[in-house]
Amino acid sequence: MQKFVSRLKSEPFWTMFFAFAAMVFLLMVTQTLTQSIKSWELDTEMFLWFLLVGFVAQSIDGALGMAYGVSCNSILLGIGIPPASASAWVHFAQVFTSLASGISHWKMGNVDWRLAKKLLIPGVLGSILGAFLLSNVNGDLVKPVIALYLFIMGIVILRKVKKKHSPKFNRESKSLPILATTGGFADAVGGGGWGPIVNSTLLSKGKIARYAIGTGNFVEFFVSLASASTFLFFVKELSLAPVLGLILGGILAAPFAAYICKLVKPKYLMIAVGVLIIALSIRTFYLSFF
């Protein structure tokens, strides 16, 4: 905590951004819960099911840096929730789970602060744009393109595992803001995608697995907060039983997942990430055309 406070004092950027994020977070939570709790009747069975879903999804996401949004969004769409509402609910829950995950990764020393600073603003802007478009346009049109990109990234990551020497990661690369903007946009449109796009690309560029995943998950809190706030401006309905289940399940899993990320060798994390990305991309292709 002392290192964190000293960093805030030495870098005004982080102080201002954390203060602004805290203000938006409190405003969003207070207003949304105040409106929803008036007519809230807790469906215990649904709550328990989504508690399990949130725990499993966040365990995967925190350890591998992806799949929380995709997993939860797929289930909501499967039970008939409209795409914009499903993505809004998932991102509202993900604000809490990504906060818990980001704090856990920070405590484990998995966050590269300079890299996080590069990804932050572009990722937030991309997520706001994606949330705005999905609330007004059919987001299924871009899913096949994202799926193709993920499939290629999965193959690239698996090929990196076989190489003895990984490329040296360039933290000053001009492509990082573009990557973050694309990841934030795809995350909002697809109900998940920040981890598969951003974290997988960082890995393919040679970033050490624990820092790629830890930094990506840390920044994801701000990206989720931006998209959730935008969604909830257009989508007024919030079902608290599934959302509360997703939130609590994810928060319970976050410290466990961050520890796994630090403990497991980078080689095995990369294999798991590569296989997961390929599987998700094939699934997205299938659902887009069939």
Side-chain angles (χ1 to χ4, degrees):
M1 179 59 72
Q2 188 174 358
K3 290 183 178 180
F4 180 72
V5 173
S6 63
R7 179 173 293 276
L8 291 182
K9 290 181 179 179
S10 62
E11 295 191 34
F13 171 84
W14 285 112
T15 304
M16 291 169 53
F17 211 90
F18 274 115
F20 180 73
M23 182 178 66
V24 174
F25 176 76
L26 291 174
L27 182 63
M28 182 192 71
V29 172
T30 303
Q31 241 183 332
T32 304
L33 293 184
T34 301
Q35 292 174 358
S36 302
I37 205 167
K38 294 177 182 177
S39 59
W40 179 38
E41 293 182 5
L42 181 64
D43 185 331
T44 306
E45 184 177 354
M46 180 176 285
F47 167 76
L48 292 176
W49 274 113
F50 276 91
L51 181 73
L52 177 62
V53 170
F55 185 88
V56 173
Q58 185 58 40
S59 295
I60 297 171
D61 186 276
L64 303 183
M66 63 194 68
Y68 178 87
V70 174
S71 302
C72 297
N73 195 61
S74 298
I75 294 172
L76 289 172
L77 292 175
I79 61 175
I81 304 300
S85 295
S87 193
W89 297 1
V90 169
H91 282 91
F92 184 82
Q94 200 166 15
V95 168
F96 296 88
T97 58
S98 59
L99 176 60
S101 180
I103 292 173
S104 299
H105 278 292
W106 160 60
K107 297 286 278 185
M108 293 290 176
N110 298 340
V111 178
D112 181 334
W113 289 88
R114 287 176 62 191
L115 176 60
K117 194 173 180 178
K118 289 277 186 180
L119 300 174
L120 193 59
I121 301 296
V124 166
L125 294 177
S127 67
I128 293 173
L129 177 61
F132 175 78
L133 288 179
L134 184 61
S135 299
N136 298 277
V137 181
N138 184 3
D140 292 337
L141 299 176
V142 298
K143 285 186 179 180
V145 178
I146 296 172
L148 177 61
Y149 176 84
L150 294 181
F151 185 82
I152 294 172
M153 281 296 100
I155 294 175
V156 169
I157 290 171
L158 291 179
R159 289 184 63 186
K160 297 294 182 186
V161 175
K162 294 183 179 181
K163 292 185 178 181
K164 294 183 180 180
H165 301 287
S166 299
K168 185 177 180 181
F169 181 75
N170 180 14
R171 196 190 284 121
E172 304 303 320
S173 173
K174 294 182 179 179
S175 65
L176 289 177
I178 299 174
L179 171 65
T181 303
T182 304
F185 178 84
D187 186 77
V189 170
W194 172 264
I197 290 177
V198 175
N199 293 0
S200 64
T201 304
L202 293 177
L203 286 168
S204 71
K205 288 179 175 292
K207 188 66 178 175
I208 297 173
R210 62 178 286 201
Y211 294 115
I213 295 170
T215 305
N217 279 28
F218 178 81
V219 175
E220 190 175 18
F221 162 71
F222 301 99
V223 172
S224 298
L225 180 61
S227 56
S229 302
T230 306
F231 272 125
L232 292 173
F233 183 80
F234 296 98
V235 180
K236 304 300 181 182
E237 297 180 1
L238 181 71
S239 180
L240 288 187
V243 170
L244 192 59
L246 293 176
I247 291 172
L248 293 180
I251 290 175
L252 290 173
F256 167 71
Y259 179 72
I260 291 177
C261 182
K262 182 178 181 178
L263 189 66
V264 179
K265 292 182 178 180
K267 177 181 178 180
Y268 299 122
L269 277 178
M270 289 181 70
I271 291 174
V273 170
V275 171
L276 181 61
I277 289 172
I278 291 173
L280 290 175
S281 65
I282 293 173
R283 179 183 179 281
T284 302
F285 262 124
Y286 179 81
L287 293 177
S288 297
F289 296 107
F290 300 98

